Amino acid sequence: MAFFLSQTKYIKDILSEYGFTRCKPLRLPMDTHVKLTHNHGVPMSIPEQHQRLIGKLIYLTITRSDISFTVHTLSQFTNTPTSVHFHAAKRVIRYLSGSISQGILLPSHSAARLTTNFDGDWAGCPITRKSTIGFYVLLGDSPISWKAKKQAVVVSGVSRI
């Protein structure tokens, strides 16, 4: 017996709520050339709209590790969101429209082998120059844990022995 965890109905509800039921899906959740900052765009008159969407996307990361980095990045701007931040969050919805039924497969017959992978962007935040790291852990072929997180401190490029 295998288990498949997905949030298909939840994604369909989000698509409907934001008017994206018939949108053209995107291949990536975030534009790779965009570096979000606090001062780009017009401040939103109703920030709760953006905050609510980010909350919904955070909930989706329970079964969608593919949006973790993007949602982590967008969640940094929930206090004072701008039109640019809201547009980037809506881009995630368009991405989700092309992968509604994606989720996590937990097969019953999988090797009990633990594998970890990680990556980071060196000083990728244009505001703080901090790096963001991400990792995921697989048990056999099934993802069991993942996270994207900004480092607490800026690490210089000089190493000391």
Side-chain angles (χ1 to χ4, degrees):
M1 172 184 273
F3 291 100
F4 181 70
L5 306 173
S6 73
Q7 294 174 303
T8 303
K9 169 136 179 23
Y10 190 70
I11 293 172
K12 287 180 180 179
D13 291 345
I14 292 172
L15 291 170
S16 177
E17 180 179 345
Y18 289 91
F20 284 89
T21 53
R22 296 180 188 258
C23 70
K24 181 179 178 184
L26 296 174
R27 300 180 96 199
L28 297 172
M30 182 178 236
D31 186 348
T32 57
H33 301 291
V34 171
K35 292 286 186 182
L36 298 174
T37 61
H38 290 286
N39 57 356
H40 282 95
V42 178
M44 292 184 67
S45 59
I46 306 172
E48 292 80 13
Q49 186 179 22
H50 176 76
Q51 294 162 350
R52 181 180 159 109
L53 176 55
I54 296 301
K56 289 174 183 282
L57 294 175
I58 289 171
Y59 183 73
L60 272 176
T61 63
I62 293 170
T63 59
R64 297 294 300 260
S65 62
D66 55 330
I67 64 171
S68 289
F69 176 80
T70 303
V71 172
H72 163 77
T73 302
L74 291 171
S75 67
Q76 297 175 62
F77 305 102
T78 53
N79 287 340
T80 55
T82 67
S83 57
V84 173
H85 304 133
F86 192 56
H87 177 73
K90 290 193 292 186
R91 180 185 171 92
V92 178
I93 298 174
R94 288 186 58 197
Y95 167 76
L96 292 169
S97 73
S99 58
I100 292 174
S101 59
Q102 188 173 325
I104 301 172
L105 177 64
L106 302 170
S108 58
H109 303 295
S110 181
R113 182 184 71 246
L114 200 59
T115 308
T116 304
N117 295 290
F118 65 93
D119 197 4
D121 65 343
W122 184 259
C125 179
I127 302 165
T128 62
R129 304 305 298 155
K130 293 181 181 178
S131 301
T132 300
I133 59 167
F135 72 86
Y136 68 92
V137 180
L138 299 172
L139 180 59
D141 296 326
S142 303
I144 58 171
S145 181
W146 54 85
K147 186 174 188 173
K149 182 178 180 176
K150 190 183 289 188
Q151 289 183 320
V153 296
V154 175
V155 180
S156 70
V158 179
S159 60
R160 296 180 187 191
I161 299 177

